[in-house]
Amino acid sequence: MRVLGIETSCDETGVALYDTEHGLLADALHSQIAMHAEYGGVVPELASRDHVRKLLPMIEQVLKQAELSRADIDGIAYTAGPGLVGALMVGASTAHGLAKAWKIPVLGVHHMEGHLLAPMLEDEPPEYPFVALLVSGGHTQLVEVKGLGQYKLLGESVDDAAGEAFDKTAKMLGLPYPGGPQVAKLAEQGNPTRFRFPRPMTDRPGLDFSFSGLKTHTLTTLNQLKAAGTLDDQARADIARAFEDATIDTLTIKCRRALEQTGLKRLVVAGGVSANVRLRERLCEALAKRNIKTYYPRGRFCTDNGAMIAYVGAQRLVAGEHDDSTMRATPRWPIKDLVPPQS
Amino acid sequence: MTTLLALDASSTACSVALWQDGKVTGAFEYAPREHTRRLMPMIDDVLAEADVSLAELDALAYGRGPGSFTGIRIAAGTAQGLAYGLERPLIPVSTLQAMALGTHRQHGAQLVIPAFDARMSELYICAYRCENDQVTALMDEQVIAPEAFILPSACEGERFMGVGSGWMLASSLSQTIRDAVSRSLPEQEPDAADIVRLAAAMFAAGGGLAPHEAIPVYLRDKVTSRPK
Ligand SMILES: Nc1ncnc2c1ncn2[C@@H]1O[C@H](COP(=O)(O)OP(=O)(O)OP(=O)(O)O)[C@@H](O)[C@H]1O
């Protein structure tokens, strides 16, 4: 089955073609980051307007890339949530219009299920069951994955998401949006021993996270240095390093704990923050000796993309699941509400 | 034989209409926040009733705005998906112009000022002259504070009919405008039946676009308070 995947939940337009026999056939991605950067964050209305301009040309582009014609497409998947409602609506309505014209099934899928299963697009995909750490701009969650649609939430952030903490820290350090990669880059120059930031919620049992205290700690440190007149470039880099170390440590400790608790031997790390190289190194180092294998999507599929939506859609469409005539846009949609494919 | 399908979701109403060589059939519902649920079944119903299949359509049309941003995009996305999928041209039609045509057809009005409530104390508004189902704009479509709206000087002494949700804010319009309007119908919403009629004229004149070019017209382009 060949499935067209459409992602428009936030500030990335993603379109891809996935074939259940031959894997990923084509993918196209347009990021709006530059457009929103001037405003210091995503402007929802501008995001929606841009999706409308980009979507059809990108669909045309992936069909060309894969050298396929419209008649070769067997199903359409789009992101139905969670995300910005207006942006979701663009993908949902276009997908439904196309599916009606082509007389093929259409299905709205869960954006985070897309992230969760993005490593399935790699050459050595993980087998079920596994533990997944979802770390993005809007989510920090540990999930036990027993199979498609069988997700048990083990823990999540009680306040800011890890990516959000990266972005806010970047702002405090005067770095441009989105801050994750910028903080990581600045941290490379930082001295890891100068500051030690707290590892929130690691000293008590449980798998929940909290990052807002760490953000406050970063701000306090910055203000102290500013007051003392010693906030130079090196100090900024040292702070970035201390923040990144604390975040990565926290994530690593909780992953280890989740794996111990479930007894599972595979860890999937997905979402925008999983692009962080030092997080990958640290997890690898901490888990390899316990015989645990970690799986990541390729860099391009860590952040929002159409390929992961095409993949998840294909798994569910093949099982007979599809939308009725309602276009779905669900801004809030907890991942634990997902169920295995329903035909 | 020309067969066209038009959709509109730009207001609290949802509508679909079919043009078959001058014969117009369609469905119109008051459907606030229900467009995503109602639009597709309404398309099916309208086509089924006329025993027309999607493949028989020569082109599609939709209410391209102004109106509710999300509503316009629901219609745009659906129409673009259909038109691209069927490999047919797409005709974006002004919702204000469609309101003018509807008022002309139903009430015989020759001069019409359609206006929608644009929130933020503004209106989407324009003025039209209508003759024998031909609708000519007398000015550019605008998003403007009601008290700032003025008619072109050529319209002096003319009597207009007002139509659309914007006329709920009539008390904020200038005295000159209020004097120029003999009657207003604030309850009216755009109807795909009028959109499809305008689209038919545009289609006959070669006015169809490639689906990806048929994008919404919002009129309000300042959507964030931060400076660029
Ligand atoms: N190298 C990196 N190090 C740390 N954070 C990063 C890195 N690269 C990206 N990020 C962060 O990842 C986030 C973006 O990820 P993604 O696009 O998956 O999330 P989102 O769309 O914002 O949220 P969600 O998918 O939860 O709705 C941003 O917060 C960004 O700062």
Side-chain angles (χ1 to χ4, degrees), chain B residues 26 47 49 91 110 128 159 196:
Chain B
L47 289 173
E49 196 133 310
I91 306 163
Q110 295 201 312
Y128 298 90
R159 302 288 281 167
V196 90

Side-chain angles (χ1 to χ4, degrees), chain A residues 7 9-12 33 42 82-83 111-112 115 135-140 161-168 170 177-185 243-244 270-279 301-305 308:
Chain A
E7 156 67 36
S9 69
C10 188
D11 59 346
E12 244 103 36
I33 283 177
V42 177
H111 179 76
M112 297 314 291
H115 277 307
V135 264
S136 66
H139 294 80
T140 308
E164 193 180 354
F166 266 98
D167 294 337
K168 287 179 177 169
Y177 166 88
Q182 309 270 348
V183 171
K185 199 164 154 227
F243 165 82
E244 191 186 44
V273 181
S274 72
N276 187 288
V277 177
R278 294 198 43 246
L279 172 65
F301 298 155
C302 285
T303 44
D304 296 351
N305 63 85
M308 66 186 193

Side-chain angles (χ1 to χ4, degrees), chain A residues 45 49 60 70 100, chain B residues 44 73 84 87 220 228:
Chain A
E45 179 57 24
R49 291 185 180 193
E60 181 77 19
R70 300 150 193 234
K100 181 176 280 294
Chain B
D44 289 340
R73 276 191 293 266
Y84 178 84
E87 302 183 54
R220 176 176 285 143
K228 257 216 151 172

Side-chain angles (χ1 to χ4, degrees), chain B residues 77-140:
Chain B
T78 307
Q80 284 191 331
L82 282 168
Y84 178 84
L86 297 166
E87 302 183 54
R88 297 291 190 278
L90 182 56
I91 306 163
V93 175
S94 161
T95 46
L96 288 167
Q97 195 183 357
M99 289 284 273
L101 177 64
T103 311
H104 171 59
R105 289 181 56 85
Q106 281 168 40
H107 302 277
Q110 295 201 312
L111 291 164
V112 185
I113 303 179
F116 304 135
D117 183 351
R119 310 237 181 92
M120 301 165 78
S121 308
E122 288 186 319
L123 297 175
Y124 300 123
I125 192 165
C126 195
Y128 298 90
R129 180 182 300 279
C130 313
E131 251 163 324
N132 305 324
D133 287 4
Q134 300 268 24
V135 185
T136 316
L138 300 172
M139 58 198 302
D140 286 340

Side-chain angles (χ1 to χ4, degrees), chain A residues 38-40 43 45-46 48-49 52-53 56-57 59-60 63 70 86 89-90 93-98 100-103 171 325-328, chain B residues 36-37 39-41 43-44 54 69-70 73-74 76-78 80-82 84-87 211-212 215-216 218 220-221 223-224 226-228:
Chain A
E38 307 175 47
Y39 304 97
V43 182
E45 179 57 24
L46 293 182
S48 305
R49 291 185 180 193
V52 177
R53 286 189 293 261
L56 288 188
I59 292 172
E60 181 77 19
L63 285 171
R70 300 150 193 234
M89 221 66 111
V90 176
S93 56
T94 310
H96 271 265
L98 266 177
K100 181 176 280 294
W102 289 344
K103 299 198 177 91
K171 218 173 201 170
S325 58
T326 299
M327 309 163 189
R328 294 191 295 129
Chain B
T36 49
R37 210 172 57 77
L39 192 53
M40 284 302 181
I43 293 173
D44 289 340
L54 283 171
F69 293 165
T70 298
R73 276 191 293 266
I74 290 170
T78 307
Q80 284 191 331
L82 282 168
Y84 178 84
L86 297 166
E87 302 183 54
H212 72 276
I215 57 174
Y218 304 99
R220 176 176 285 143
D221 289 322
V223 293
T224 160
R226 287 209 208 185
K228 257 216 151 172

